[in-house]
Amino acid sequence: MKEFIDSHCHIFNIVDIPLYETIQGKVNFNTFSKLFLGTAVPLAGALYGTSKIKEIEKKKDFIKFFERSLKDSIFKFETHLLDLTGGDTDILITPLIIDFDSVKEDEDNFSNLEAQTKRLIDAIDKSSSKLKIKICPFIGFDLRKLILADGLQQIQNLWKNYGFAPQKNTTIKEIKNGSILGIKLYPPMGFNPYPAENRERYLKFYRWCVEKDIPITVHCQEGSYGGNSTKKEIKNYTNPLNWLKLFNDNPELKNLKVNFAHFGGEDGVEDMLDPLKIWVGGIDKNSWTYTIIKLLQKYPNTYSDISAYSYGKNKLNDFSSNLKKVIEFDYKGKFIEGEFRLSDKLLWGSDVPMVLSDVCYEAHYKNYFNKFEKVVKSANISDLHKKEFLENLVMNNPKEFLNLK
């Protein structure tokens, strides 16, 4: 591979996350519950010396990730990537910052976010002279801040200070390490990206993103860290139908650049593949992942990364086999919601450190990527298409999403 881009990962430590809520058990539902000691409760138990030692040991890599300095995490991540690619590849990762700030009127709602952003940028700057890869984050933003009088101006100021809009001929080699390339939205924190109330304030934000050609990555998987949101609220906030309505209602936003992170997850893919629905080719068109496919096929600048995907099995499902079917369906033309193919819209992402405790990761990034590569190579498509699919996900598609040459 000449180039390799991980479009969805994280570099943070214990300073950046809301530890109190984590210990309370509010880190839950699927991704975090699956990876953070099964549930948050065992973490609390671990602090009091209960009998969870073996379980904790299984999650050692995940827990230790949060103990490291940002600089140590940066170089450890680089080591994994160089081992995967052989060292002759231009590598870019885009760690996503999550906005954990509380949103209250008459309070400083941006200082923690800016401090978190500066900590990461400073760590990248201090490492850059020795780095062989490029690290360009996405800044987090809680859209509820748009309700505040200065909410839009504040995120615009942060973008002015830290954002980077590449020229169309900019290559990975030419990007300055630490440049902010986009904005990360995390609806499970408590917001609908297209609410009925204060809708115009949200639309102004999206119009600004279109004007500045700012890529957005939005969490789009049912299982989520939810802060103080209930499971039902998380599902409502994160549902891709919100985005379908946004695009349908506002044709001027058709060029909005959005990555619907996680492609609905392995559970979303499983829900979509329904062999009982023979009359529609075994596809549940009301499923979460199929809604994302509609967005990808209908609109030119929509993408979806497959980060945190589990390539394992459970008693009923083989998640690797399911993803293989999606690839085959795409090349056989079974998805017919618009003019664009999935192979031109999907992105590679790992979601490190969230996958560190997954059996698919097996303590090394290379092992995790090889699981994905094995799925592609097992697909019943031509060798040329296998090569195209892999190159599209790790090079061509993310460069389009990030405005790179």
Side-chain angles (χ1 to χ4, degrees):
M1 291 176 282
K2 294 180 180 179
E3 297 162 311
F4 183 90
I5 300 174
D6 186 333
S7 299
H8 191 132
C9 60
H10 304 274
I11 297 175
F12 45 57
N13 60 23
I14 201 68
V15 177
D16 298 317
I17 64 172
L19 184 60
Y20 179 69
E21 288 187 346
T22 300
I23 294 172
Q24 279 186 308
K26 292 178 181 177
V27 173
N28 48 24
F29 313 140
N30 201 16
T31 299
F32 265 88
S33 64
K34 182 170 64 179
L35 299 173
F36 215 134
L37 306 177
T39 65
V41 176
L43 175 60
L47 293 175
Y48 294 99
T50 58
S51 58
K52 294 291 180 180
I53 300 303
K54 289 184 179 179
E55 194 169 2
I56 293 168
E57 287 175 350
K58 291 178 184 178
K59 312 297 182 182
K60 180 179 69 175
D61 289 338
F62 181 64
I63 297 169
K64 281 187 172 293
F65 180 92
F66 293 93
E67 292 180 345
R68 295 191 201 112
S69 70
L70 295 176
K71 191 174 179 181
D72 286 346
S73 288
I74 285 169
F75 282 111
K76 192 168 183 65
F77 206 155
E78 180 185 60
T79 299
H80 282 246
L81 290 164
L82 294 176
D83 185 55
L84 169 67
T85 60
D88 295 324
T89 302
D90 292 334
I91 300 171
L92 169 66
I93 62 173
T94 58
L96 308 174
I97 297 168
I98 298 178
D99 184 357
F100 289 116
D101 283 342
S102 60
V103 182
K104 297 178 181 178
E105 290 190 26
D106 302 321
E107 289 191 13
D108 183 352
N109 293 282
F110 283 85
S111 60
N112 288 337
L113 173 61
E114 184 164 15
Q116 183 185 354
T117 303
K118 289 180 71 174
R119 280 195 297 271
L120 180 54
I121 292 174
D122 287 347
I124 296 168
D125 285 344
K126 290 175 182 177
S127 309
S128 60
S129 63
K130 295 181 180 179
L131 279 174
K132 298 177 182 177
I133 67 173
K134 293 297 177 73
I135 305 177
C136 296
F138 274 40
I139 191 169
F141 185 47
D142 187 325
L143 292 183
R144 287 174 295 180
K145 293 178 179 179
L146 293 170
I147 300 170
L148 306 172
D150 63 345
L152 179 58
Q153 187 61 54
Q154 289 275 18
I155 187 63
Q156 288 175 338
N157 289 343
L158 286 175
W159 182 260
K160 184 178 180 180
N161 291 337
Y162 302 108
F164 176 74
Q167 300 299 315
K168 288 189 176 180
N169 60 350
T170 302
T171 64
I172 292 175
K173 284 182 178 179
E174 294 167 337
I175 298 176
K176 180 182 181 295
N177 253 322
S179 302
I180 298 290
L181 292 185
I183 293 175
K184 162 72 170 178
L185 306 181
Y186 200 80
M189 289 303 293
F191 63 87
N192 183 327
Y194 189 51
E197 296 181 357
N198 299 298
R199 182 168 285 180
E200 184 56 32
R201 289 177 178 259
Y202 284 63
L203 290 174
K204 284 181 180 178
F205 167 76
Y206 295 129
R207 291 181 193 124
W208 171 67
C209 289
V210 172
E211 178 190 349
K212 299 296 183 181
D213 204 12
I214 299 172
I216 294 170
T217 288
V218 60
H219 182 87
C220 204
Q221 179 185 25
E222 285 196 50
S224 315
Y225 163 75
N228 292 313
S229 303
T230 66
K231 189 173 183 178
K232 182 178 180 181
E233 287 172 335
I234 289 172
K235 187 172 182 178
N236 290 337
Y237 296 151
T238 313
N239 198 315
L241 285 171
N242 295 321
W243 292 91
L244 201 59
K245 182 170 177 56
L246 170 71
F247 278 104
N248 287 339
D249 290 353
N250 303 279
E252 76 276 11
L253 297 178
K254 68 177 181 179
N255 290 320
L256 184 65
K257 195 163 280 188
V258 185
N259 165 28
F260 301 100
H262 307 299
F263 195 49
E266 67 273 4
D267 293 331
V269 173
E270 170 62 28
D271 291 342
M272 179 182 70
L273 299 174
D274 188 345
L276 298 179
K277 296 193 172 183
I278 302 171
W279 63 94
V280 285
I283 298 171
D284 183 350
K285 296 190 175 183
N286 293 315
S287 62
W288 194 290
T289 294
Y290 195 79
T291 302
I292 295 174
I293 289 174
K294 288 180 183 178
L295 286 158
L296 301 186
Q297 290 201 307
K298 284 185 175 182
Y299 299 100
N301 292 330
T302 49
Y303 297 86
S304 184
D305 70 54
I306 57 169
S307 62
Y309 192 91
S310 173
Y311 297 97
K313 299 178 181 180
N314 61 23
K315 291 181 180 179
L316 298 175
N317 305 309
D318 182 334
F319 300 124
S320 289
S321 178
N322 289 343
L323 186 59
K324 179 170 76 80
K325 287 178 186 176
V326 171
I327 296 169
E328 292 170 348
F329 281 9
D330 181 42
Y331 278 96
K332 291 175 182 177
K334 289 196 173 185
F335 301 125
I336 51 172
E337 295 295 333
E339 61 182 291
F340 301 102
R341 297 185 311 165
L342 292 193
S343 57
D344 295 322
K345 292 303 198 81
L346 295 179
L347 311 172
W348 166 252
S350 64
D351 208 11
V352 167
M354 306 310 169
V355 291
L356 291 182
S357 297
D358 197 297
V359 67
C360 293
Y361 193 88
E362 295 172 350
H364 208 292
Y365 190 103
K366 186 176 182 178
N367 295 328
Y368 186 64
F369 183 79
N370 285 346
K371 299 280 186 181
F372 161 67
E373 192 173 36
K374 184 178 179 181
V375 169
V376 178
K377 290 182 176 179
S378 69
N380 187 22
I381 57 178
S382 71
D383 288 344
L384 184 64
H385 284 155
K386 292 174 185 177
K387 182 175 184 292
E388 175 193 66
F389 188 83
L390 282 168
E391 289 181 352
N392 278 358
L393 266 69
V394 302
M395 292 193 306
N396 301 327
N397 297 349
K399 285 194 293 184
E400 288 288 332
F401 175 59
L402 297 170
N403 305 312
L404 298 173
K405 181 180 178 182

